[in-house]
Amino acid sequence: MYMNPQEIFISDYDYPLPPERIAAFPLEKREASKLLVYKEGRIQDDNFFNLPSYLPKDATLVLNNTRVIEARLFFQKPTGGIIEVFCLGPDGQTIEQALAANGQSTWQCLIGGASKWKAGQVLEKTVQVNGRQALLRASYLSKQSDHFLISFSWEPADISFSELLQAAGAIPLPPYIKRNLSEQDKERYQTVFGREQGSVAAPTASLHFTKELLGEIAKAGTGIHHVTLHVGAGTFKPVKTATVAGHNMHGEPFSVSLQTLQALASASTIIAGGTTSLRTLESLYWIGVKCLNELPVQTLRQWEAYELEKRFNKITVAQSLQALIGYLSRAGLDVISCNTSMIIVPGYRFRLPAGLVTNFHQPQSTLLLLISAFIGEDWKKVYDHALKNDYRFLSYGDGSLLWRKEQ
């Protein structure tokens, strides 16, 4: 594992991405995207609907079943100005608690037009929620280092905050998609299997899957299991420091069921459906390592895996997962819920996934660092091939199946 992340310069993970190569709209059919297959230095071009033919029959595909919430709210000031409030995540509650809240909830937010909104000022918005009229108030509490604290309150109080967001909010498209939200996005910026509300960005590799394609994958003998990681806006946060050590990863909550843990413990070949699934799987391994060594399991800090590697590098995947299974059994739980800020950089030694289904990521991003960690310097070869062969990039772009380099 790479022990000196401060020596990694983000400028080494750059490539030219012309704006016209960023997919502004999804294709008409989800599964019609191109598929680049990389294995042992070789690249093959295909279509995403042929993905089942590349998966081993005994493989286990792990998908993130989070759903994107309508996190963007627009308020009009009495003077006519528009204030946009982008809800990043709850303050002091779990995402489940905050979305189910009645009457009041405090959130960490980004503010569009913040200079026009003074601390203590309350903005109001009338909303129709399931045939009922509700009054939503937003109160500016304080400015933090990278977000604002906003208190929401509403009447009638028996309406949940989730219902308010669905009625009054808008799906937050990534900042590199330079257009307004369309009706099409409300469906296409969600996966067909997403069910756990809480993300402010989609697990975009999974946008290619249809129910029919998932049925074909299962019919071909690949097991399909789900984890939940609620994607934060930090996934788009650019690395603004010269070295990776200066970049702060935001924490993201994840949960994995006992049933999925048992399936992973007996899996022969694991394929991560997207970088969020991959980060969940690798975080899970280190949480298991912590469990074995009687360390707190609620969180995994940004560089903690690298510290744990120095102390406990001989613990197997089976030992880690069995420790988590035992932990849940003793506690009488069927789901483990944690928070991860884990960053994966070149030199990291992967434990669980042998394959990764993913889209093509931004230059100088933490996701590109992850790709480089997974397939080594061949990331340049893969991205150069994609650029020369008209692949579409980023969230609504084409997909790839990458097989891990030998470690």
Side-chain angles (χ1 to χ4, degrees):
M1 184 180 288
Y2 199 90
M3 293 302 175
N4 297 298
Q6 69 274 12
E7 296 179 2
I8 296 178
F9 286 89
I10 194 62
S11 57
D12 292 337
Y13 298 87
D14 196 10
Y15 69 92
L17 179 58
E20 62 271 17
R21 301 303 295 277
I22 299 172
F25 292 91
L27 296 179
E28 183 179 350
K29 295 182 178 180
R30 291 177 182 264
E31 75 280 18
S33 294
K34 285 184 168 185
L35 178 70
L36 182 153
V37 181
Y38 167 87
K39 189 172 187 179
E40 297 176 350
R42 297 188 299 275
I43 294 174
Q44 185 175 347
D45 299 307
D46 208 324
N47 294 100
F48 203 89
F49 54 72
N50 285 325
L51 177 66
S53 65
Y54 293 98
L55 305 181
K57 289 185 178 180
D58 59 349
T60 297
L61 175 64
V62 180
L63 300 170
N64 182 5
N65 65 1
T66 187
R67 280 187 69 80
V68 183
I69 60 174
E70 293 84 351
R72 297 172 67 201
L73 292 165
F74 296 89
F75 292 84
Q76 187 170 21
K77 295 180 63 182
T79 56
I82 300 297
I83 302 291
E84 178 185 349
V85 182
F86 184 176
C87 301
L88 299 176
D91 189 69
Q93 291 181 303
T94 66
I95 188 69
E96 293 80 12
Q97 290 170 336
L99 290 175
N102 296 121
Q104 194 277 332
S105 186
T106 300
W107 284 65
Q108 300 174 9
C109 302
L110 298 178
I111 306 297
S115 61
K116 302 174 185 177
W117 192 8
K118 304 305 179 186
Q121 184 178 17
V122 179
L123 301 179
E124 296 185 348
K125 184 182 184 72
T126 301
V127 185
Q128 290 294 322
V129 182
N130 300 324
R132 304 168 68 193
Q133 183 169 295
L135 179 63
L136 174 63
R137 298 184 182 92
S139 301
Y140 182 129
L141 298 182
S142 64
K143 184 182 187 305
Q144 307 297 310
S145 60
D146 58 355
H147 65 268
F148 297 83
L149 278 185
I150 305 297
S151 174
F152 296 101
S153 59
W154 59 93
E155 299 168 356
D158 62 344
I159 294 172
S160 71
F161 192 59
S162 175
E163 291 175 307
L164 278 169
L165 287 180
Q166 290 174 34
I171 292 289
L173 287 180
Y176 45 71
I177 295 182
K178 307 293 186 182
R179 63 172 175 80
N180 293 328
L181 186 75
S182 70
E183 281 297 314
Q184 182 186 32
D185 295 312
K186 294 179 182 179
E187 179 223 347
R188 291 301 301 277
Y189 198 61
Q190 301 280 11
T191 66
V192 299
F193 50 81
R195 69 178 188 212
E196 304 294 339
Q197 289 195 359
S199 284
V200 299
T204 54
S206 293
L207 296 179
H208 303 289
F209 290 97
T210 63
K211 291 180 180 179
E212 292 76 17
L213 183 58
L214 290 168
E216 291 180 24
I217 290 171
K219 186 177 179 181
T222 296
I224 300 173
H225 292 272
H226 295 95
V227 296
T228 303
L229 181 138
H230 293 312
V231 189
T235 191
F236 303 122
K237 183 181 178 183
V239 181
K240 294 183 178 179
T241 54
T243 61
V244 184
H247 181 76
N248 291 321
M249 296 281 285
H250 287 177
E252 294 170 317
F254 74 90
S255 57
V256 181
S257 70
L258 177 60
Q259 181 182 18
T260 295
L261 280 174
Q262 291 168 335
L264 292 172
S266 61
S268 58
T269 303
I270 296 173
I271 299 162
T275 56
T276 61
S277 294
L278 184 146
R279 286 182 66 241
T280 302
L281 290 169
E282 291 301 299
S283 296
L284 197 63
Y285 169 81
W286 292 109
I287 294 293
V289 169
K290 293 178 73 173
C291 184
L292 269 174
N293 291 279
E294 299 182 349
L295 298 171
V297 299
Q298 288 76 25
T299 61
L300 185 69
R301 302 188 310 274
Q302 179 166 330
W303 300 108
E304 191 172 9
Y306 301 79
E307 300 162 6
L308 292 169
E309 167 80 1
K310 296 176 184 177
R311 300 170 60 192
F312 310 114
N313 62 2
K314 297 188 183 301
I315 295 175
T316 66
V317 169
Q319 289 171 327
S320 170
L321 295 180
Q322 288 301 328
L324 293 176
I325 291 169
Y327 172 84
L328 291 181
S329 298
R330 290 190 299 274
L333 301 173
D334 57 8
V335 175
I336 186 163
S337 298
C338 308
N339 191 284
T340 182
S341 302
M342 183 183 188
I343 187 170
I344 296 177
V345 300
Y348 176 82
R349 184 161 64 94
F350 291 88
R351 265 52 181 204
L352 275 79
L356 170 64
V357 179
T358 188
N359 285 11
F360 298 93
H361 305 288
Q362 287 180 289
Q364 298 193 36
S365 64
T366 57
L367 295 179
L368 192 57
L369 288 170
L370 183 153
I371 298 303
S372 176
F374 201 70
I375 64 172
E377 283 297 300
D378 271 1
W379 77 263
K380 298 175 182 176
K381 178 179 175 180
V382 167
Y383 275 64
D384 185 57
H385 179 94
L387 286 166
K388 289 179 178 177
N389 288 272
D390 298 322
Y391 279 77
R392 300 157 69 248
F393 279 63
L394 308 187
S395 294
Y396 275 146
D398 295 314
S400 65
L401 171 62
L402 309 176
W403 291 100
R404 194 181 72 199
K405 67 173 182 178
E406 290 296 322
Q407 298 183 134

